[in-house]
Amino acid sequence: SLKSDNLLQPLADSLNETFALPKDITIVTTECGEVNAFYDADSASIQLCYELMDDFYRIFTEAADDPNATDEIDAAATNALLSTFYHELGHALIDQYHLPTTGKEEDAVDQLSAFIMIDETKEGLKDALDGAKAFMLATEEVVSASELPFWDTHSLDMQRFFNLVCWA
């Protein structure tokens, strides 16, 4: 599981070699009480919630042709988490470097996440598409238009899915 695997330490080591940040960014996996991940500028930390990790496993297990294909499900859930991590890293970089963004910041960091996944991960394109698929699967769970978060700073999940597929 993502909770027990040492997935994030190699990422942190690689990022420390790549970026010279004015302030260290802490990567935290924690119980949040909700399905979420976020960058907290006050503490300069990326928070990855256990509930989000569990939700990725759930949606990829439910969507799997063979729910016993645990290696494929693990890989897809891990890629979705990595996509989320790189999204939150984008927020951290914008904050740390005081970068301007054009358009919605959420869309800009989605695009950065896709670029990093495609260019820097083991299976690039497939890894990025697993991140996109998580948005598509979340959309399939919406029962009515009243459940859509039109108020949110993020684009709708289906918009994010299509954007990520297009960038890929």
Side-chain angles (χ1 to χ4, degrees):
S1 104
L2 295 173
K3 295 176 195 173
S4 61
D5 289 350
N6 195 9
L7 173 71
L8 297 176
Q9 189 59 53
L11 280 175
D13 294 342
S14 174
L15 293 170
N16 284 330
E17 292 175 11
T18 305
F19 296 101
L21 296 170
K23 189 176 184 181
D24 286 342
I25 297 172
T26 306
I27 303 168
V28 179
T29 55
T30 186
E31 194 81 29
C32 300
E34 63 179 320
V35 176
N36 204 355
F38 55 92
Y39 170 69
D40 179 39
D42 293 333
S43 65
S45 65
I46 294 173
Q47 310 277 326
L48 299 170
C49 304
Y50 291 140
E51 296 87 348
L52 178 66
M53 297 175 203
D54 292 341
D55 196 54
F56 284 147
Y57 273 110
R58 180 188 61 76
I59 64 174
F60 281 105
T61 299
E62 289 174 1
D65 293 331
D66 177 6
N68 296 317
T70 56
D71 288 346
E72 291 174 22
I73 293 167
D74 287 349
T78 298
N79 289 336
L81 180 68
L82 286 174
S83 179
T84 301
F85 169 77
Y86 288 125
H87 171 99
E88 298 307 330
L89 175 65
H91 287 299
L93 295 174
I94 287 169
D95 174 58
Q96 293 287 309
Y97 291 134
H98 305 288
L99 298 172
T101 57
T102 56
K104 293 167 66 173
E105 181 175 320
E106 295 298 339
D107 292 341
V109 296
D110 274 352
Q111 191 169 11
L112 175 69
S113 174
F115 175 78
I116 292 172
M117 293 284 291
I118 291 166
D119 195 54
E120 298 294 327
T121 63
K122 184 177 177 182
E123 293 187 42
L125 187 60
K126 182 205 173 298
D127 295 350
L129 291 175
D130 283 340
K133 187 175 181 182
F135 290 117
M136 182 192 68
L137 294 173
T139 298
E140 291 175 356
E141 294 181 339
V142 173
V143 177
S144 70
S146 65
E147 292 179 342
L148 294 172
F150 292 110
W151 48 266
D152 197 37
T153 58
H154 296 88
S155 293
L156 297 174
D157 286 344
M158 192 52 84
Q159 290 171 308
R160 294 175 82 183
F161 164 76
F162 281 112
N163 283 339
L164 288 165
V165 169
C166 188
W167 294 323

